[in-house]
Amino acid sequence: MCSSDLNGIIQVVDKNTKWQGGYVGLNSFGFGGVNTHVILRPQVDGGLRSLEKSIRQAPRLVTFCGRTEDGVINALKEVNRLQDPNVAYLLNAVNVSPTPGLHVRGFATWKSETVEISNDSQERGPLWFVFNGIGSQWVGMGRALLDVPVFNASIQRSAKTLKNEFNFKLMALLEDCNDETFAHPTNCFVSIAAIQIALVDTLSALGIRPNGVVGHSAGEIICAYADECLSAEQTIKAAYWRGQTLATINEGSDEQYGMAAVGLSWTEAKKMAPEGIYAACHNGADSVTVSGPKAQIQAFVQKLKEKKKAAKEVASCGIAFHSPYIAEASEKLLALLRDVIPEPKARSDSWISSSIPEKDWGSGLHSTLSANYIVNNFLSPVLFYDAVRKIPERSTIVEVGPSGLLRGLIKRAAPTCNAIALQSRDSKDAVADFINALGKLFLAQVNFDANALGRSASFPVPASTPSISPLVTWDHSTSWDVPVYGKVRQQNRN
């Protein structure tokens, strides 16, 4: 026995002894030769945290992987029965990088009995973000998501930039707006862009980053942010100047302008549109948005309806986007954007342009993000359908914006892909929509840290936390013959 034993520093535990706290060493010697050693430390605060407080701040999404559907469903139901945020925290931490072979995935929204699962052993394609543009705005958008800490912090940063640079009050716009608010293009572009930046920041905090991006119209400005060509500050400034430039374009003119969605192919739209009306957005195989003087747009819509063709006017702030009617504003916008983006920056191959035809993809304009690129996007037709069709098969496509404006178009253009919208127009619970969309991303084999939504717990969890081991259950669906060696030996003796 060494001297430290004699001094009482180390004691041989040869009987049941009350534990006084402190570090604990665990040793496991496996039958197959695998030895594992772990040192565990207790909570540093020395006491059990308030369960009521933890529940209020709990993760609102719980993820789980297993080998059987019943096993995953039962585990998630048990988590909701326990109502212990620390259990949810543990499960989410385990499933940031699920174990290979556990191809059944499931998620549950916190305090809900709803459980969704996916049993798909085939590997999914890459993850793509699609950014929508004007038309995705709605009264109340983004307001509920301010309860998500990462989203809120991002909105506050954009609000600070807008207040300092332009005395533009973003928070007031989001918290107190009506239909008339979005009749002004600056309000539309700025609020949509701020929400999209915040959604990208939130997804990034969870560890969700795209393999590729596509933007529809002004959505390409947010592509520049996701592609790390622009900072958040540059992005929100670019959106502001786009809106301000367009806000003054029709001043002093008696002419009114508008847009309409028509059920025609791109070729048909260009052929059938009367003089003065332009095919502005190629949205789908049989979906085009046209721009022009309002009276002519209304007459064209009526003519198409008489021919039993789908056609309706769409809100556009009285502007004929992506047409020669806004060309006079291009020089002013270019000058303003050159102050925001003084130096071009190389675009990555993961950004599919929807404003430059594929035949011109080798051009200098296409290779960099610059003020010229954004002005070209401002003037040129939107080739969204062509861009989406370039997305690889079986990809997961996330529509990032205030609503799922483009989800139907995406599903038709990329039928093998899984299209998920982060938000819904006029949603009654935008946070629930967002959490549900994250759950569907998990089912689509996108791994992320669900705990990053709100740190309601931390390691080590309280000593009172139920063990998560019982949540992993045995699969008894298959019977196996196992020899009982004791009986075999007895039979041999006889």
Side-chain angles (χ1 to χ4, degrees):
M1 186 176 291
C2 63
S3 59
S4 61
D5 288 324
L6 297 175
N7 293 332
I9 298 175
I10 296 178
Q11 295 180 343
V12 177
V13 180
D14 56 356
K15 59 183 178 180
N16 291 340
T17 304
K18 184 178 180 180
W19 184 51
Q20 301 298 322
Y23 287 86
V24 173
L26 298 180
N27 303 289
S28 175
F29 300 92
F31 180 78
V34 177
N35 301 327
T36 303
H37 310 281
V38 178
I39 296 177
L40 303 178
R41 65 178 174 83
Q43 282 185 293
V44 294
D45 59 13
L48 300 180
R49 70 194 66 188
S50 167
L51 182 61
E52 181 183 357
K53 180 179 179 182
S54 294
I55 287 176
R56 289 200 303 269
Q57 301 174 348
R60 301 183 187 180
L61 175 69
V62 185
T63 58
F64 191 74
C65 287
R67 298 188 187 277
T68 67
E69 294 183 7
D70 286 344
V72 172
I73 291 172
N74 292 336
L76 290 171
K77 286 185 175 180
E78 178 64 11
V79 172
N80 275 333
R81 186 192 69 80
L82 290 171
Q83 291 289 289
D84 190 321
N86 296 295
V87 173
Y89 187 85
L90 286 172
L91 286 188
N92 285 336
V94 169
N95 287 286
V96 171
S97 298
T99 304
L102 303 183
H103 54 82
V104 180
R105 290 176 173 237
F107 78 91
T109 53
W110 186 243
K111 297 185 180 180
S112 168
E113 295 183 1
T114 302
V115 172
E116 290 192 37
I117 65 168
S118 172
N119 189 350
D120 187 359
S121 58
Q122 186 177 353
E123 186 175 353
R124 298 290 310 181
L127 176 66
W128 284 73
F129 286 178
V130 170
F131 299 98
N132 51 37
I134 199 164
S136 62
Q137 71 275 5
W138 53 279
V139 174
M141 65 180 186
R143 200 177 296 164
L145 287 176
L146 293 173
D147 288 341
V148 179
V150 181
F151 183 93
N152 190 314
S154 178
I155 290 290
Q156 295 292 347
R157 288 192 294 270
S158 291
K160 182 178 180 180
T161 296
L162 291 165
K163 180 69 167 61
N164 292 343
E165 294 288 334
F166 313 114
N167 198 31
F168 186 95
K169 299 177 181 179
L170 175 63
M171 298 307 298
L173 188 155
L174 294 178
E175 294 173 356
D176 184 20
C177 62
N178 53 45
D179 290 331
E180 291 184 5
T181 303
F182 295 122
H184 194 289
T186 304
N187 293 340
C188 293
F189 285 116
V190 168
S191 57
I192 292 170
I195 287 172
Q196 289 174 319
I197 291 169
L199 287 172
V200 170
D201 289 346
T202 305
L203 294 174
S204 181
L206 297 175
I208 302 173
R209 295 177 178 83
N211 300 108
V213 294
V214 172
H216 187 289
S217 186
E220 281 213 284
I221 298 176
I222 316 301
C223 283
Y225 177 62
D227 200 40
E228 299 183 353
C229 295
L230 292 180
S231 67
E233 184 175 326
Q234 287 175 304
T235 304
I236 201 66
K237 286 182 180 180
Y240 176 84
W241 284 127
R242 188 180 183 114
Q244 283 296 95
T245 304
L246 287 167
T248 58
I249 194 171
N250 295 330
E251 288 183 352
S253 174
D254 294 331
E255 186 76 79
Q256 291 183 312
Y257 296 89
M259 302 181 76
V262 298
L264 301 173
S265 70
W266 188 242
T267 301
E268 289 174 331
K270 291 192 289 185
K271 183 179 179 180
M272 295 177 64
E275 185 177 355
I277 291 182
Y278 296 88
C281 306
H282 188 190
N283 302 317
D286 59 353
S287 178
V288 174
T289 308
V290 294
S291 290
K294 190 173 183 65
Q296 289 181 250
I297 288 289
Q298 290 174 336
F300 186 44
V301 167
Q302 183 59 36
K303 181 180 178 180
L304 289 175
K305 286 182 177 180
E306 291 172 358
K307 293 183 176 182
K308 307 301 182 182
K309 297 284 188 180
K312 66 174 182 178
E313 289 187 80
V314 295
S316 65
C317 301
I319 298 167
F321 291 105
H322 303 287
S323 76
Y325 297 108
I326 62 172
E328 65 183 75
S330 60
E331 288 300 321
K332 178 181 178 181
L333 179 60
L334 181 61
L336 292 167
L337 289 177
R338 279 177 173 164
D339 286 338
V340 178
I341 313 168
E343 296 293 335
K345 189 167 182 179
R347 295 172 55 246
S348 73
D349 293 336
S350 62
W351 175 358
I352 298 178
S353 176
S354 64
S355 54
I356 298 178
E358 186 176 2
K359 64 182 179 62
D360 297 326
W361 281 5
S363 67
L365 181 64
H366 174 266
S367 62
T368 62
L369 184 281
S370 62
N372 294 84
Y373 184 96
I374 294 179
V375 171
N376 179 75
N377 164 283
F378 176 78
L379 294 172
S380 301
V382 177
L383 306 176
F384 180 73
Y385 178 65
D386 297 331
V388 172
R389 283 170 61 83
K390 292 288 183 183
I391 296 176
E393 290 189 355
R394 285 186 57 80
S395 293
T396 296
I397 303 176
V398 180
E399 184 176 354
V400 182
S403 67
L405 177 69
L406 305 174
R407 186 167 179 259
L409 296 170
I410 293 169
K411 291 174 71 175
R412 290 194 291 274
T416 68
C417 295
N418 184 13
I420 299 170
L422 295 181
Q423 290 288 271
S424 302
R425 179 180 295 276
D426 300 325
S427 173
K428 302 301 182 183
D429 192 341
V431 174
D433 289 345
F434 182 62
I435 298 303
N436 191 61
L438 289 177
K440 292 186 182 300
L441 276 175
F442 184 74
L443 298 187
Q445 301 176 12
V446 177
N447 299 327
F448 57 89
D449 181 9
N451 287 329
L453 282 171
R455 296 289 180 181
S456 63
S458 61
F459 290 120
V461 296
S464 60
T465 303
S467 173
I468 63 174
S469 295
L471 298 178
V472 181
T473 56
W474 290 98
D475 177 12
H476 295 291
S477 61
T478 303
S479 298
W480 301 88
D481 292 330
V482 179
V484 181
Y485 292 102
K487 292 185 178 180
V488 171
R489 288 197 298 269
Q490 184 65 36
Q491 289 173 358
N492 290 338
R493 290 195 190 100
N494 296 334

